Every structure is written in structure tokens, then in C-alpha cells.
Amino acid sequence: MSGELGQPQAGPSHAGLDLPNPERNRAGVPGGVIRRAGAQGRRSWIQKVLEQITDSPLQWVTPSEVVPVAVLAVQRYLLEDEPRDTIPKPPLYCYDVTISDGVYQEKCYLDPSLNFLVYKNILKVGIEMKISRVSCLYNEKRLGQGILCIDNVHCGETLEDISLETPFRNSAHEEVPERPLRGGKSHYLALWNNEDPYGDIWLTNKQPEEHNFNNTKIISLSHLEMTWSNRRNFPALLVRILHKSKLRYYGKPDKKMIEPYQTFLEVADSSGTVSVIMWNALCPEWYKSLRVGLVLLLQDYSVKKSYPFRMQPLPVDPQIKLISTMEICLNLRDPPTNIIIIPEKQVKPEWRLPKLNHRFITRSELDDMPENHICDVIGILVFVGRVQRSKKKESREDFWSYRWIHIADGTSEQPFIVELFSTSQPEIFENIYPMTYFVCTQLKLVRNDAQVPKLLYLTTTNESRVFLTGHRGQPYTNDIKNANRPSTSQATRRENQSQERDNNKQYQDDDPMGSQYFPATHESLSPTKKKRILQGPCAKLIPVPQPETSAQRGNRPDTPNIFQRRESTSAGVQGKARKTISDRWESPLWREKKFGLIDHFHYSCVHPESIPRKFIFEQRKFLTEQFNSQPAKYIPPEGRPPKLEDFKSARSLGHFEVTILGLNHEIAIDVAFLPMYSPEDLRTSQIDTLLTCMNYSCVYPQETPGNDRLPRALAGDIIKAVTKLDKVHIVGILDICNLGNNKVEVYLHKIYSPTNTS
């Protein structure tokens, strides 16, 4: 291949970007013509590498010099099957990585063998990266077109200052909307899930427009239900949106859908309520512009028999008929649907469109609500947990994104505890922080009164929507006056009184009251968790207090510490300590076997980023970033950011290091056990056995104001109780949490003593 790589010039176009036909080869590879660089001006490393691979007879090359580049973007998409594939493949998500060498930016294709670097959050935006092997993937249908492929890299540290001023070498990479380098997909997916809209294909510019109804024939939903099977053309529908679901992405490698999305709207007129399904390319065009409460005029839609296994949400008015025999389908074509948002000022009373009827409840009322009750809540956020991910299916790369939050409404000492899954509103989900008003609709109650402590929390449903700032014009404003809303002073006082207690609550996927939940940092990807079961005797237990901030360490005199002290560092909680023999316990069996082990796994470290921090309003942007997922594009920091370790811990208890010996006494593992305060239930207020304590993951000592270290009496009681488990065969359930960047934490979720060990 011959040609020349040009130099950057001012303006939107650059020399050397000869793209005579920018049309994409949907099954192949796009790219600009590769040209040799001129002699004048500063030459970029990217240019040199492209020249080197162009001249090489090999499919890949090792750059003649390895120069650090900055990672500006990591973007994900689904790669569809190649035409030669005869057997359908499982979904393969690919990544395009945008790099900068200080002269040019270049979007590169990441070889799928390196995808694990993204999964583990080693390859991420804002870092320095050295590329040691590259190749070129050519577009065989067009002369001189190809893309640069990254085949081997070394990922370095986070860079403090990255310039975004450098231009793209290939102007095709500046297309709007952005296009993936490979395959026929027209857009990128969100980096960590498939539910969130991502990129500039998602429009927000649809506005209400007045409509002349003189020549518009309208049919009611009830009449349409009776006659649709005998009709070929359907009159217009005039309806109000009652519910809006999150997005569903159904892309598959063997499906040639360009934008395979689906969303449900529950709409109603005076005669009934029905499900409306919006398909494919209509979703990017309309999804972000449609909201609950809007009045729509729908024309040129299709009707089909409803899917029998889908559960519709409850109607806002029990007097409105729930139509479940048909569904309304909206498509970009076959036929092309026409959607018009009718201004509220044009809505006439004689249309008798239903009003929204929210089901706001107070926290004091929640205890009396039945299992699976659907409700709406409003209050002040007093706790925001980190974003986490859980796999939808074990064999797939698809994940749910969720986080735990606490909402206080002033009617109870206890907050609403909400398991908040992504609602396809990333602009809110990724920007929530304490001390702000928060509204969440269509929540489902989960409870188990037989468990100790009682299990009681709310979780989002498919139709849940969240609202963070500004209530003016929102669909719930007519109902909000009936909700018990705390004043700002109430919220501040309650936040100060209960923040530490709230942050000590412990949650997990299936048992939010029974295992410790930790916020994660910006340094780590959305953590993923797995549960594993092991058996063996408890061999050793060591209490580890909460690490202090740098300010606390500077003001504290050098006095003996009764616990094994581990100072917080960037790599974890490490260090040396003074200790007394009474502050730790070792089984005689452990002293006998510990030097003859085949393997001893050490996973008891609790990393600094896993420690909940006291919220400081002035640092809300920094703290919000710390507990979100890694972004897909680099965002320059504002000024010099603080260090996470400088924020005071919101946990008043430290943790225990527990060593469990395998049944064959050949393998041992160190894990962390995290107790919590739970003053609600006096039935377990005595630490009678460590088994009871660990089963409930809670202890009941009196809190000491201003003391963030594990109380000595509490540690002594638990260490005394653990001696009763000496040589006892236990079954332990472990939570394995991948924080990314090669950091893994393992927590003891529960232990059981089997009654039958045969």
C-alpha cells in the first residue's frame, strides 16, 4: 500500500485524510487512506507506526520505538457475525480505544484477547499506555483503507494532565454520531451495561407542537380492542403516558439490526390503558424526549396480539380498564409511525384523559405494607453506595448495574433502603449524592419478617423512574403536596445524626441486611461479585480497626494500640502494629498445620476505596466520581483533586481477619468479616456465639461518639466467642468482589455449622 501521512492543519479537515468515499463497509473495515508523512513539522508516533506497518510484509509489527500514549476513550459495541460464519457465535463485545501521542489522536481497535484488561479496569481512560505490538486490519473492498489494531500493551499509571486539543489523524473518526470501527452497528453501547443510552444518536430535541384536529379521526382504545383484528388501517390514538420502561437492548451477532432497542410505554385514554412498544431506530430518536405525563397523538401504528407472559404495571386509576389482549407497535417503517407531543395547554377536559396518580408513602407507613407492594417515595438522600454490577447470565458478558441508596423523609428514624438498578437515566444514576431531594417511582417492596434482623427494602421495577433536582414541571408535582417532605433543616439534622448509622448498614445481592456493602472508587470498574462456598474449621481471628485519615494520624500522639494496626496505603491496608496476645485468637490446630500448607490465600485486605466516606457537600463532584463506574471518555479534572484517604470514614467498626482451614488441612484462606451495628432487635443483642454473630453479620454494642476504632470490649467478646468454634466443621459463604485493577476482596458472608457432616 502506498501513500503519505500528512501533518495536522487548522480547521476541520487535515492533510493526508483522503476519504474519497466515506461510505462504511458494514461487514468490513472502514478507515482513511494511509499516506507517508511530509518532512516538515513535528512527526507523531502514530504516523511512524502506520508507516512501519505499511512497509512491513508481516501482518503485525513491533514499533521501532515504544512511546507512551494517553488513553482518551474506551468505547464498547457488539460485533456482528462475519458473512463467512455459518454457526452463530455468542455475543462478542469489542472495544475501540482512542489514544493521543501529543500530535494526533487515533481511534484503534483493541484485539479481543486484550478485552480482559477492560474487564479488570486496567485499561481505562486517563492512563499512560505503551503499545508494543500493532497490526493493520485492511478494508479489502477499498484501496488503502484500514484501521490500526492494538495487539499488545502495557498499561501504566493515571496521568495528571492530558491535552484534548490534538486533532484526529483520520477525520472519519470525528463523525457525528460516532461510529464503531468494525461491523455494521451505527452506535456504541454504554461501557458497563446495555440499558443506558450512550452517545449522540440519542436525541433530546423533540418538543410539543400544536395540532389541528379538524381532519384527524381518533379511535378510543376500547373500540380499537374490539375491532383491530378486522381493520387494515387504524385511526389515530390520543393518549397520555402513564408509565415508561427502561430500555431493552436485544442485539445479537447474527442479527443485522442497526439499532436493536425496545421500550414499553403504558398509555391510556378515557376508555382503557394499553401497552405501546417502541422499536429499533425510534428509540434513539424519541426515548429521551418522552416522559411520563405527556399527551401523544399516535398515527400509522400497527397492532398485534399481546405477549402472554408480560406483566403490565397496575393502572393509575382502578376504574380504567386494563387492556391486555393487544399491543400497539411503533416502528420507523412498515408503517412509519408518526408521533406528535400535544402541548398540555391544548389538552381539552372533554377528552377525559386520565390524570397521573402517584402512590407516595412515608417511611413510617412502610412497615405495614405487604410483600411486593408497589409505591413511590420522596425524601432526602443520606447514603449513596457505589455502582455495582451483577451478571445477567453466568456464561454471558451482560451485566445489571445497580447501587444501594438511603432516603430519609422525616417520618421515621429509619430511612427507605432502596436497591436502585439502572433505569436508563444515566444522567441521574451517575450524579446522585447525599443531601439532595430524590424521587423514585414504581418501587416494589421486598420483605422477610422471619429473618433476624428483619429484611425490608425497596427495589426498582421495569417502570421505575428517578428524579433528582427541580420538581417544577415534573409529573408527580400534583401528588407531592400529600407526601411528607422533610425540610432542609430537618434533612441536615437527620443526616448529621444518622449518617454513620446509615453507612453501617450492610447489603448484598440477595440479603441486603446481612452482609457488608462498600462504596468503590473511580479507580475501579463497577465491582462484580460472586458467591463461593467452602468448608473447614475456623483457625484464626484478628480484629483490624478502621484506618485513620492523614489528619487524624498527624494529631494523634504515639500511644500503644490494643489491636493489630494496619495503616492505609494506595495498595491496601498494610503496616505494622503493637498488639497484645488477648486481642487475637489462634486455634491449636492452626499452630500445628500452618507451616505445612500447600496454599495459603490472603484476601482479608479491605482496600481504602471500599470504605464509606463522610459526605462533604463542597467536594460532591469528586466524591460522586469516586463511587461511579469508570467513564468511557476522559474528563479533565477541575483543579487538583483531593485524596480519598483524606475523607473521614463513615464506618465506626473496623473488620476482622478470619482464617479458615480446609477440611484436608492443606489449604487455608484469609477473609474479611465486617460486623455492623444493628440496635433494632434485642433478640440477638448478646454475642453468645460467633456463629450467631456471623450469621446475622451484626453486633450490638453502645456506640462511642468520635471513636472510629473497633471498641475493645466488642473485640474481646467476639474473640472470646470464637474459641467455641475451635475445630468445629463449618460451611462458609464468601462474597468475592472484583474491584478491578487486579484488586480482589473476599468477605465472609455467613457461616453455618452443619448438623449432618456425613
Side-chain angles (χ1 to χ4, degrees):
M1 181 183 300
S2 62
E4 176 172 299
L5 285 169
Q7 300 298 313
Q9 297 178 350
S13 61
H14 308 297
L17 302 178
D18 185 8
L19 295 173
N21 190 343
E23 179 184 355
R24 295 174 53 84
N25 173 11
R26 295 201 177 276
V29 180
V33 173
I34 302 176
R35 297 183 171 182
R36 295 192 182 281
Q40 73 280 7
R42 176 188 171 190
R43 297 182 63 202
S44 79
W45 177 84
I46 293 172
Q47 290 175 323
K48 295 176 184 178
V49 169
L50 285 170
E51 291 178 12
Q52 186 179 349
I53 195 171
T54 300
D55 292 338
S56 173
L58 302 176
Q59 289 185 327
W60 57 268
V61 298
T62 299
S64 55
E65 61 174 327
V66 178
V67 176
V69 296
V71 179
L72 301 184
V74 179
Q75 296 171 289
R76 183 177 69 106
Y77 57 99
L78 182 68
L79 186 64
E80 60 192 30
D81 287 344
E82 300 292 343
R84 61 181 175 271
D85 293 331
T86 57
I87 301 176
K89 297 178 181 178
L92 174 61
Y93 292 102
C94 295
Y95 296 90
D96 291 343
V97 179
T98 302
I99 60 174
S100 172
D101 62 3
V103 179
Y104 277 131
Q105 294 182 34
E106 182 77 7
K107 186 182 290 187
C108 308
Y109 174 71
L110 185 70
D111 188 272
S113 65
L114 301 180
N115 283 3
F116 75 94
L117 295 174
V118 180
Y119 302 156
K120 294 184 177 182
N121 209 36
I122 298 171
L123 174 50
K124 57 190 176 184
V125 299
I127 66 166
E128 179 183 87
M129 183 173 70
K130 294 182 179 180
I131 304 174
S132 57
R133 193 171 77 173
V134 298
S135 60
C136 188
L137 192 59
Y138 295 103
N139 184 345
E140 297 177 350
K141 295 184 178 182
R142 297 194 181 277
L143 181 64
Q145 290 192 358
I147 57 177
L148 188 65
C149 303
I150 299 174
D151 297 328
N152 201 3
V153 298
H154 173 75
C155 297
E157 299 298 321
T158 300
L159 296 170
E160 292 187 359
D161 186 25
I162 300 177
S163 173
L164 299 178
E165 301 297 324
T166 54
F168 275 101
R169 184 198 63 84
N170 185 348
S171 63
H173 299 164
E174 296 178 330
E175 289 181 356
V176 177
E178 291 184 285
R179 307 282 181 171
L181 288 178
R182 296 196 61 192
K185 302 302 180 187
S186 65
H187 67 290
Y188 288 106
L189 299 169
L191 187 55
W192 301 115
N193 66 49
N194 290 342
E195 281 73 42
D196 288 343
Y198 170 82
D200 39 24
I201 70 165
W202 297 89
L203 306 180
T204 58
N205 60 353
K206 303 296 184 181
Q207 300 295 328
E209 55 183 90
E210 292 196 7
H211 180 75
N212 185 351
F213 287 91
N214 292 336
N215 299 318
T216 303
K217 184 179 180 181
I218 295 175
I219 188 172
S220 69
L221 290 175
S222 60
H223 190 197
L224 181 65
E225 181 190 24
M226 294 184 292
T227 62
W228 72 270
S229 59
N230 299 321
R231 288 178 176 269
R232 297 187 62 182
N233 298 307
F234 305 107
L237 294 173
L238 185 62
V239 293
R240 188 186 297 277
I241 302 176
L242 303 184
H243 298 292
K244 173 185 172 182
S245 77
K246 61 185 175 184
L247 285 168
R248 174 178 172 260
Y249 179 79
Y250 64 94
K252 295 181 180 179
D254 58 336
K255 302 293 185 183
K256 302 300 181 182
M257 295 285 187
I258 303 301
E259 290 154 350
Y261 286 96
Q262 176 197 72
T263 190
F264 283 85
L265 303 173
E266 301 300 321
V267 304
D269 61 10
S270 61
S271 67
T273 178
V274 72
S275 295
V276 171
I277 311 175
M278 184 177 292
W279 291 94
N280 303 330
L282 272 186
C283 290
E285 183 180 351
W286 280 94
Y287 183 81
K288 297 187 76 171
S289 297
L290 298 180
R291 61 177 177 83
V292 172
L294 289 180
V295 175
L296 303 181
L297 182 69
L298 303 178
Q299 297 172 308
D300 300 321
Y301 54 88
S302 61
V303 184
K304 69 172 186 177
K305 187 176 180 181
S306 62
Y307 184 68
F309 300 107
R310 179 179 178 268
M311 292 291 293
Q312 291 178 262
L314 296 175
V316 296
D317 186 344
Q319 303 299 321
I320 299 179
K321 179 183 179 182
L322 186 64
I323 299 174
S324 57
T325 58
M326 69 175 186
E327 293 174 341
I328 310 299
C329 297
L330 309 182
N331 290 281
L332 190 62
R333 57 186 63 88
D334 300 328
T337 300
N338 184 31
I339 303 173
I340 299 175
I341 302 176
I342 303 300
E344 192 65 32
K345 63 182 180 181
Q346 195 181 2
V347 177
K348 298 179 179 180
E350 54 265 30
W351 294 350
R352 295 187 296 119
L353 294 178
K355 300 292 184 181
L356 297 182
N357 182 22
H358 286 88
R359 302 179 179 89
F360 283 109
I361 66 168
T362 65
R363 178 57 183 87
S364 59
E365 297 170 333
L366 187 67
D367 293 332
D368 300 325
M369 298 298 172
E371 173 81 1
N372 296 324
H373 177 74
I374 300 297
C375 62
D376 309 321
V377 301
I378 183 172
I380 302 292
L381 283 169
V382 294
F383 170 78
V384 178
R386 69 178 174 192
V387 177
Q388 299 188 78
R389 299 195 306 156
S390 60
K391 272 195 172 184
K392 297 180 181 180
K393 294 183 179 179
E394 189 63 31
S395 60
R396 302 280 291 274
E397 297 180 31
D398 299 324
F399 290 82
W400 299 112
S401 294
Y402 68 100
R403 67 196 318 168
W404 290 93
I405 62 174
H406 288 188
I407 304 172
D409 71 350
T411 67
S412 170
E413 289 296 319
Q414 301 302 317
F416 292 106
I417 299 171
V418 180
E419 182 185 31
L420 182 66
F421 283 87
S422 169
T423 58
S424 299
Q425 297 171 277
E427 67 281 0
I428 296 179
F429 187 80
E430 297 173 0
N431 290 284
I432 59 177
Y433 50 83
M435 299 177 66
T436 55
Y437 279 116
F438 192 78
V439 175
C440 195
T441 64
Q442 290 295 111
L443 295 172
K444 182 174 71 172
L445 178 62
V446 179
R447 70 183 308 154
N448 183 355
D449 294 337
Q451 179 176 311
V452 180
K454 293 179 180 179
L455 186 69
L456 183 69
Y457 68 97
L458 298 166
T459 187
T460 48
T461 62
N462 197 48
E463 291 79 24
S464 292
R465 310 304 294 165
V466 292
F467 307 91
L468 184 60
T469 57
H471 300 300
R472 184 185 301 273
Q474 297 293 359
Y476 53 81
T477 49
N478 290 333
D479 302 307
I480 206 172
K481 58 187 178 182
N482 298 320
N484 191 321
R485 293 172 51 189
S487 67
T488 303
S489 59
Q490 283 180 303
T492 303
R493 183 171 63 252
R494 192 169 300 279
E495 192 273 338
N496 291 332
Q497 292 173 346
S498 64
Q499 171 107 224
E500 186 166 314
R501 182 195 66 237
D502 293 337
N503 282 285
N504 284 329
K505 294 290 184 180
Q506 304 172 353
Y507 321 103
Q508 286 288 1
D509 292 343
D510 60 344
D511 188 3
M513 295 297 289
S515 59
Q516 183 65 35
Y517 169 75
F518 292 105
T521 71
H522 184 65
E523 289 287 320
S524 53
L525 63 89
S526 303
T528 57
K529 296 197 300 293
K530 294 182 179 179
K531 294 197 186 306
R532 291 292 182 265
I533 299 176
L534 81 164
Q535 302 182 61
C538 185
K540 182 181 68 174
L541 183 138
I542 304 173
V544 182
Q546 193 64 50
E548 297 171 331
T549 66
S550 55
Q552 289 172 314
R553 288 194 296 271
N555 296 329
R556 177 175 53 84
D558 187 15
T559 56
N561 195 309
I562 64 170
F563 302 119
Q564 177 172 317
R565 166 65 60 186
R566 299 188 175 185
E567 296 297 339
S568 176
T569 68
S570 60
V573 186
Q574 301 176 350
K576 298 181 180 180
R578 303 175 179 89
K579 59 180 182 293
T580 63
I581 191 65
S582 62
D583 296 318
R584 57 183 296 163
W585 172 82
E586 285 188 359
S587 165
L589 179 64
W590 175 248
R591 290 194 288 268
E592 175 187 343
K593 300 292 184 181
K594 63 182 178 180
F595 297 110
L597 297 175
I598 297 176
D599 277 311
H600 187 178
F601 302 102
H602 303 281
Y603 288 107
S604 61
C605 173
V606 177
H607 293 277
E609 59 263 37
S610 287
I611 298 170
R613 304 288 174 175
K614 290 282 187 179
F615 179 73
I616 299 176
F617 186 79
E618 290 74 17
Q619 298 289 349
R620 59 191 180 278
K621 183 176 181 180
F622 170 78
L623 289 171
T624 300
E625 290 175 348
Q626 303 311 299
F627 303 124
N628 274 335
S629 303
Q630 183 72 28
K633 289 189 174 182
Y634 174 72
I635 304 172
E638 296 180 0
R640 189 174 183 86
K643 295 181 179 179
L644 189 64
E645 290 81 355
D646 293 337
F647 292 85
K648 187 179 179 182
S649 166
R651 294 186 63 248
S652 58
L653 295 179
H655 70 276
F656 288 91
E657 178 184 293
V658 180
T659 301
I660 299 175
L661 187 63
L663 289 178
N664 294 324
H665 301 170
E666 296 176 340
I667 298 176
I669 183 171
D670 298 338
V671 299
F673 167 60
L674 301 120
M676 75 167 187
Y677 289 127
S678 184
E680 305 165 23
D681 196 325
L682 298 179
R683 285 181 291 172
T684 55
S685 61
Q686 302 300 318
I687 306 173
D688 50 357
T689 68
L690 188 68
L691 190 65
T692 301
C693 176
M694 288 185 174
N695 272 347
Y696 300 140
S697 291
C698 55
V699 290
Y700 298 82
Q702 293 294 320
E703 298 189 42
T704 304
N707 185 2
D708 282 342
R709 295 186 288 276
L710 192 67
R712 180 173 184 174
L714 166 61
D717 286 346
I718 293 182
I719 290 173
K720 181 179 178 181
V722 78
T723 61
K724 298 180 181 180
L725 290 183
D726 188 15
K727 298 182 181 179
V728 172
H729 176 192
I730 60 105
V731 176
I733 298 178
L734 305 179
D735 285 329
I736 303 174
C737 187
N738 175 16
L739 296 180
N741 209 16
N742 287 327
K743 291 187 287 188
V744 176
E745 294 172 338
V746 180
Y747 303 105
L748 183 59
H749 180 69
K750 285 190 177 183
I751 62 172
Y752 304 92
S753 181
T755 56
N756 183 0
T757 59
S758 60

